[in-house]
Amino acid sequence: MNGNIHSFETFGTLDGPGIRFVVFMQGCHMKCQFCHNRDTWDINSGTTYNHIDLFNIIIKYKNYFESSNGGVTISGGEPLLQTDFIIELFKLLKNENISTAIDTSGNLEITDSVKKLIDLTDLFLVDIKSINNTISKNLSGLSNIRELDFINYLNLRNKPIWIRQVLIPGITDKEPDLINLKKYILTLSNVEKFEFLPYHDSGKYKWIELRISISFIRH
């Protein structure tokens, strides 16, 4: 099975517990105004890898995973756009008892393929754009309904989850929305960690290089 990949990080420490081999998949269906990885949006770009070839690269770092209780995190872009590829990769990783994590928006239909991948994944890192649906649409171009449905499904399956939200001054830091976010998280039993991520515009240069009209939020 082949997949399009943007890049790797062989010593990641921010995308799950322990030391992680992070795979950034190519392709994203969202158009977030604060995205610092605009170059991952086109699913037809990047480098094509076979899942076996990628596994053979990853396995060289297994000693780091075992010594730090780490593993492999698939990020993006949006990983769930290449679900079948990740399923085949995760089958190989699970045979080696390597921890698997996915960093996703969760803003897609929960298909049979997605359900199969969920079964193979130990941890999900889910980015909530905003609990306020109007703000979510303005920021990303999409409603948060599927995103929250995805989180609810993970909760029903008792899959561990880390929830993240980018804290954008004047937009996603409004007190009523943060209170509602807290209330929502308290309805879940599978949240192991919550993080506010600071807003930054360090990816602006990528938009310029790609000759894309700048839409970064100013504050």
Side-chain angles (χ1 to χ4, degrees):
M1 176 68 67
N2 290 335
N4 289 345
I5 292 173
H6 177 271
S7 58
F8 308 133
E9 183 179 355
T10 59
F11 202 86
T13 58
L14 301 176
D15 298 300
I19 297 169
R20 318 289 299 185
F21 188 108
V22 185
V23 180
F24 296 93
M25 302 298 296
Q26 194 72 36
C28 188
H29 62 307
M30 305 185 80
K31 301 294 181 284
C32 297
Q33 293 186 46
F34 54 88
C35 180
H36 61 279
N37 285 329
R38 173 62 178 83
D39 47 331
T40 67
W41 285 9
D42 183 2
I43 197 169
N44 296 311
S45 297
T47 303
T48 300
Y49 285 85
N50 182 272
H51 71 282
I52 296 175
D53 293 334
L54 178 56
F55 169 78
N56 288 333
I57 294 172
I58 292 171
I59 200 67
K60 297 175 184 178
Y61 298 86
K62 186 178 179 181
N63 288 339
Y64 291 112
F65 309 153
E66 291 182 332
S67 65
S68 68
N69 293 317
V72 175
T73 297
I74 309 297
S75 187
E78 173 48 64
L80 299 186
L81 293 179
Q82 301 191 65
T83 305
D84 292 340
F85 171 80
I86 302 172
I87 287 172
E88 296 306 315
L89 174 64
F90 275 14
K91 286 179 182 177
L92 297 176
L93 294 177
K94 299 310 291 182
N95 286 339
E96 293 290 332
N97 295 315
I98 294 175
S99 167
T100 56
I102 292 180
D103 184 357
T104 176
S105 70
N107 206 316
L108 294 100
E109 180 184 358
I110 304 173
T111 62
D112 289 341
S113 181
V114 169
K115 290 178 181 178
K116 188 173 183 180
L117 180 56
I118 288 172
D119 289 341
L120 290 166
T121 306
D122 298 313
L123 172 68
F124 284 88
L125 291 71
V126 182
D127 175 24
I128 292 181
K129 307 306 177 184
S130 175
I131 199 69
N132 183 314
N133 198 28
T134 299
I135 292 176
S136 178
K137 289 179 180 178
N138 290 337
L139 285 175
S140 69
L142 294 178
S143 164
N144 65 11
I145 292 175
R146 280 186 169 177
E147 187 173 73
L148 299 181
D149 284 346
F150 183 80
I151 293 173
N152 292 336
Y153 181 80
L154 293 180
N155 189 53
L156 287 174
R157 297 301 305 274
N158 198 33
K159 282 289 179 176
I161 183 173
W162 291 8
I163 291 180
R164 296 167 158 183
Q165 179 177 298
V166 177
L167 203 61
I168 305 172
I171 299 176
T172 62
D173 63 349
K174 297 176 181 178
E175 184 174 347
D177 293 336
L178 296 180
I179 291 173
N180 286 333
L181 176 61
K182 177 182 177 181
K183 289 179 179 178
Y184 171 66
I185 291 174
L186 289 175
T187 68
L188 307 170
S189 61
N190 62 335
V191 179
E192 293 187 342
K193 186 176 183 179
F194 175 82
E195 296 178 299
F196 278 127
L197 304 180
Y199 167 72
H200 62 82
D201 61 2
S202 62
K204 186 183 295 185
Y205 76 94
K206 293 183 180 180
W207 290 64
I208 295 172
E209 289 179 354
L210 293 167
R211 297 181 180 179
I212 303 296
S213 176
I214 294 296
S215 63
F216 269 86
I217 300 157
R218 293 176 173 83
H219 61 87

